[in-house]
C-alpha cells in the first residue's frame, strides 16, 4: 500500500469538549437547581404569611405538602432540571472530526461533511471556525469554543493547511447601502441581512443569507451589527 493510501486510512482526529467537562457542568447545574428548589420552598412559606402577596393559592398548596417530602421533592426536581440543562449543553456543543478524506462538524445531532479536495484552509476567527474552499469562499463559519491549538494539530496532522488568523482579513470592506463593486443582487441581500441582524433571534435567517451571498461570490463577516465583505477569487 502506498504512502498516500496509508494516509487515507488514518483514523480521524476528533476535537470535542471532554466528557468530564459536561459531567462537571451537569453537577454544577444540579446543585444550583437543588438550591433553587429549596429556595422556592422558603419563598412559598414566606408568601403565605403575606395576605397581599400574589399566587397565594399555589403557595398554600405547595406548603401543604408534609416534610421532609416537600424539601426532598423540590431539591430532586431542581437537580433533575439542572442535569437536563447539562445534557442540553453537551447536545449544543461542537465536535470536529478531521480525517485525510474529509472534515465533519457535528452539533445538535446534525453533521456537515466537507471533502478533503474542497477544503484549502482552516483557521479560527475569534470564536468561530472557518473552512475556506478553492476560490477562498467560506465553506462554513461555525461558532466554536474548542481549543485553537488542538484544532490546529488535528488539521495539520491530517494534511490540511491551518492558519493562525484570516489571511484575507485586509480585503474586507465595511458594507454600506448601494456599495459599488459588488455582484448583482448582493446589495439587496446585504440590506436584508442587515435588517435581520438588528432583530432578536434572527441568527438562522442571517446564516441563510450568508449562504446566499456565498453563492454570489461574496464573503461576509460580522462585527457586532456591522457587516464587512470581500469577493472570492475568480
Amino acid at each position: 500500500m502506498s504512502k498516500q493510501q496509508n494516509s487515507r486510512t488514518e483514523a480521524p482526529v476528533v476535537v470535542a469538549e471532554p466528557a468530564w467537562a459536561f459531567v462537571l457542568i451537569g453537577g454544577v447545574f444540579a446543585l444550583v437547581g437543588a438550591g433553587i428548589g429549596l429556595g422556592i420552598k422558603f419563598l412559598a412559606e414566606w408568601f403565605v404569611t403575606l395576605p397581599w402577596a400574589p399566587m397565594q393559592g399555589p403557595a398554600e398548596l405547595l406548603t401543604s405538602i408534609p416534610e421532609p417530602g416537600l424539601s426532598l421533592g423540590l431539591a430532586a426536581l431542581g437537580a433533575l432540571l439542572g442535569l437536563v440543562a447539562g445534557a442540553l449543553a453537551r447536545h449544543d456543543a461542537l465536535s470536529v472530526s478531521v480525517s485525510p478524506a474529509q472534515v465533519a462538524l457535528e452539533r445538535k445531532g446534525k453533521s456537515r461533511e466537507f471533502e478533503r479536495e474542497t477544503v484549502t484552509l482552516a483557521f479560527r476567527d475569534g470564536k468561530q471556525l472557518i473552512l475556506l474552499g478553492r476560490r477562498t469562499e467560506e465553506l462554513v463559519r461555525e461558532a466554536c469554543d474548542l481549543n485553537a491549538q488542538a484544532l490546529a494539530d488535528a488539521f495539520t496532522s491530517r494534511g490540511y493547511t491551518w492558519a493562525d488568523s484570516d489571511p484575507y482579513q485586509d480585503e474586507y470592506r465595511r458594507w454600506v447601502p448601494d456599495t459599488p463593486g459588488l455582484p448583482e443582487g448582493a446589495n439587496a441581500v446585504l440590506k436584508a441581512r442587515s435588517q435581520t441582524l438588528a432583530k432578536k433571534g434572527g441568527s438562522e435567517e442571517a446564516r441563510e443569507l450568508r449562504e446566499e451571498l456565498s453563492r454570489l461570490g461574496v464573503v461576509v463577516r460580522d462585527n457586532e451589527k456591522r457587516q464587512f465583505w470581500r469577493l472570492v477569487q475568480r
Side-chain angles (χ1 to χ4, degrees):
M1 184 179 291
S2 68
K3 182 177 180 181
Q4 183 177 4
Q5 288 173 319
N6 273 322
S7 68
R8 285 284 174 172
T9 59
E10 288 180 309
V13 179
V14 178
V15 184
E17 295 292 349
W20 62 261
F22 295 106
V23 173
L24 179 60
I25 291 172
V28 171
F29 283 172
L31 288 173
V32 172
I36 292 174
L38 291 175
I40 292 173
K41 167 186 175 289
F42 293 118
L43 188 62
E45 291 175 343
W46 179 52
F47 268 28
V48 296
T49 66
L50 304 173
W52 50 265
M55 301 181 68
Q56 284 283 330
E60 291 175 357
L61 179 62
L62 191 63
T63 55
S64 67
I65 301 173
E67 291 289 3
L70 175 60
S71 295
L72 292 176
L74 287 173
L77 178 60
L80 178 61
L81 293 175
L83 291 173
V84 170
L88 289 175
R90 182 170 189 175
H91 183 64
D92 289 342
L94 177 67
S95 173
V96 181
S97 175
V98 186
S99 76
Q102 67 174 17
V103 178
L105 309 183
E106 184 172 349
R107 169 173 272 143
K108 297 182 178 180
K110 297 180 180 179
S111 182
R112 302 176 68 184
E113 291 85 24
F114 304 90
E115 296 301 316
R116 171 67 184 89
E117 290 75 14
T118 66
V119 180
T120 61
L121 185 67
F123 60 93
R124 279 275 297 269
D125 181 15
K127 290 291 187 178
Q128 295 178 317
L129 174 65
I130 315 298
L131 302 181
L132 297 187
R134 295 177 178 178
R135 297 189 298 121
T136 74
E137 77 276 15
E138 281 187 2
L139 300 175
V140 68
R141 176 180 285 266
E142 191 73 35
C144 176
D145 289 320
L146 297 172
N147 182 271
Q149 188 58 55
L151 287 169
D153 292 343
F155 278 93
T156 56
S157 70
R158 293 300 180 262
Y160 296 81
T161 302
W162 175 270
D164 292 329
S165 61
D166 186 350
Y168 304 101
Q169 59 186 351
D170 293 337
E171 296 183 16
Y172 284 91
R173 298 167 53 192
R174 183 175 177 180
W175 177 78
V176 294
D178 301 321
T179 293
L182 283 165
E184 184 178 356
N187 267 303
V189 178
L190 283 162
K191 181 178 180 181
R193 192 169 183 276
S194 178
Q195 294 169 347
T196 298
L197 291 174
K199 297 188 302 184
K200 185 177 181 180
S203 58
E204 185 58 33
E205 185 178 352
R207 178 196 288 268
E208 294 172 358
L209 292 172
R210 178 192 295 279
E211 293 173 354
E212 178 63 26
L213 287 166
S214 181
R215 287 189 284 270
L216 294 174
V218 178
V219 179
V220 62
R221 63 189 297 187
D222 303 322
N223 185 343
E224 297 180 350
K225 301 297 183 181
R226 299 172 298 175
Q227 298 182 102
F228 293 79
W229 65 275
R230 69 171 175 84
L231 298 177
V232 303
Q233 296 178 357
R234 298 294 182 181

